[in-house]
Amino acid sequence: MITPSLPLPPLQPLRLPWLVAAGVEVAVLRLDLIDPLVSGNKWFKLRPWLELARQQGALGLISLGGPWSNHLHALAAAGQRMGLQTVGLLRGEPQATATTEDLQAMGMTLHWLGYGGYRARHQPGFWAPWQARYPGWLALPEGGACERGVQGCTDLKALALDQLATLGWDTFDGWWLAAGTGTTVAGLVRAEGGQRRVHGALAVPPGQGAERTVESLVGQGGVEWHDASRGGFAKVDPVLLQFLHETEAYSGIPLEPVYTAKALLALQAKVAAGYFKAGTRLVFVHTGGLQGRRGFLSKPDTLKSHILGR
């Protein structure tokens, strides 16, 4: 099995001027430090599948994503370490990115589905030809959005609680994290069981699936949604990039523009609007995904049109 490079992702205080001014305390659960390749929440969503593959003696794992997919990147690395074959079904037409080059270097076989073929991933029978082509392999939903992924993400609550004393906290009031498929949000909602509010900062525009996914997996309630998409998935703008660079420089915590920076910028807007009262304590989940920033930040002063996969 994969052994994370750190036994416990650190819970670090985030002291930014706009938080200090509002009297709101935030600590970052640094899942980006779990492992250099199987990074962030991807480890927690993949772990139950890796354990199932070992139990069943599966030959490999198949999943989906875009040409900058953090999910596929983590899956390829995990498969390489475990001696499992991996297949990636990719959105769009064949293209070379730093991520797809990594995927192939880690032994993943790539199949490009085009855009129409990728949109069909939710249709009945989508998986049948792939399971016929790769019999005995495990098929993972896009982004790990399923019951096993949710169950793996329930562990995040204990990781935070085990380290509260290092901050001088006895408890906290809620969670704030970026949401793509919504799987990690669902895991925290289940773990909390209504005790704390989970704030999901949508990296995709509202109504495009994350909310329905969470409701189907853990029911209604326990989550409050906030639009962090800034007009579309993987869209960036000068305000976002400036915020990302300034926050990194001040905090020393690396971010990426698709999930973590957008989620923090959305939190800043809520704090500025007085949404959270002074004395509120939040845990911000750093969901990793730093490998994908290569598509945006290789030229920090230039907005790029790459569309990142989940």
Side-chain angles (χ1 to χ4, degrees):
M1 284 297 289
I2 298 172
T3 301
S5 57
L6 291 178
L8 196 66
L11 187 65
Q12 298 179 349
L14 182 65
R15 297 187 179 94
L16 298 172
W18 50 273
L19 290 171
V20 174
V24 174
E25 296 183 71
V26 173
V28 183
L29 187 61
R30 295 288 306 276
L31 300 186
D32 58 306
L33 298 177
I34 280 283
D35 184 276
L37 293 176
V38 191
S39 173
N41 57 346
K42 290 74 184 169
W43 156 253
F44 296 90
K45 292 190 286 186
L46 285 176
R47 183 173 57 185
W49 286 97
L50 300 172
E51 292 172 349
L52 181 65
R54 182 178 61 175
Q55 293 166 6
Q56 295 187 353
L59 294 177
L61 304 102
I62 312 173
S63 196
L64 309 100
W68 291 94
S69 173
N70 298 313
H71 168 68
L72 290 183
H73 197 269
L75 177 62
Q80 183 181 50
R81 295 183 194 177
M82 288 187 64
L84 288 167
Q85 300 178 69
T86 55
V87 164
L89 308 180
L90 281 92
R91 182 185 65 246
E93 303 304 325
Q95 59 179 287
T97 70
T99 298
T100 59
E101 290 171 0
D102 285 352
L103 298 182
Q104 293 175 303
M106 291 186 286
M108 177 175 276
T109 300
L110 307 185
H111 296 283
W112 294 87
L113 304 185
Y115 293 99
Y118 197 82
R119 284 194 294 271
R121 66 194 182 281
H122 300 306
Q123 299 299 316
F126 170 82
W127 284 107
W130 296 108
Q131 290 174 322
R133 183 167 181 171
Y134 296 100
W137 289 42
L138 298 180
L140 285 66
E142 180 185 35
C146 60
E147 174 58 31
R148 287 191 178 88
V150 170
Q151 193 57 41
C153 289
T154 61
D155 291 344
L156 300 182
K157 179 181 178 180
L159 293 179
L161 291 178
D162 287 346
Q163 299 185 75
L164 289 184
T166 65
L167 303 172
W169 293 6
D170 54 353
T171 187
F172 62 101
D173 302 296
W175 299 84
W176 190 281
L177 68 155
T181 63
T183 312
T184 308
V185 169
L188 287 172
V189 169
R190 178 175 296 173
E192 287 293 355
Q195 183 178 359
R196 296 180 183 85
R197 179 68 62 177
V198 179
H199 296 273
L202 288 161
V204 294
Q208 292 197 8
E211 304 97 312
R212 292 192 301 274
T213 297
V214 172
E215 184 176 341
S216 69
L217 290 168
V218 295
Q220 295 181 332
V223 60
E224 189 163 344
W225 296 107
H226 308 271
D227 184 6
S229 68
R230 303 188 68 78
F233 178 65
K235 286 191 175 181
V236 300
D237 56 69
V239 172
L240 174 65
L241 288 183
Q242 181 177 353
F243 174 82
L244 184 155
H245 291 302
E246 289 178 352
T247 302
E248 284 189 340
Y250 198 93
S251 68
I253 296 175
L255 303 171
E256 46 71 44
V258 179
Y259 297 104
T260 50
K262 280 188 173 182
L264 266 183
L265 185 54
L267 177 59
Q268 183 191 50
K270 290 294 183 180
V271 169
Y275 188 85
F276 295 107
K277 64 182 181 181
T280 299
R281 288 173 171 170
L282 299 172
V283 171
F284 176 82
V285 181
H286 193 310
T287 51
L290 296 175
Q291 70 84 26
R293 67 187 258 146
R294 294 175 293 181
F296 279 94
L297 304 181
S298 57
K299 296 180 180 179
D301 297 326
T302 303
L303 292 179
K304 306 189 78 175
S305 60
H306 294 299
I307 300 300
L308 304 195
R310 298 175 190 172

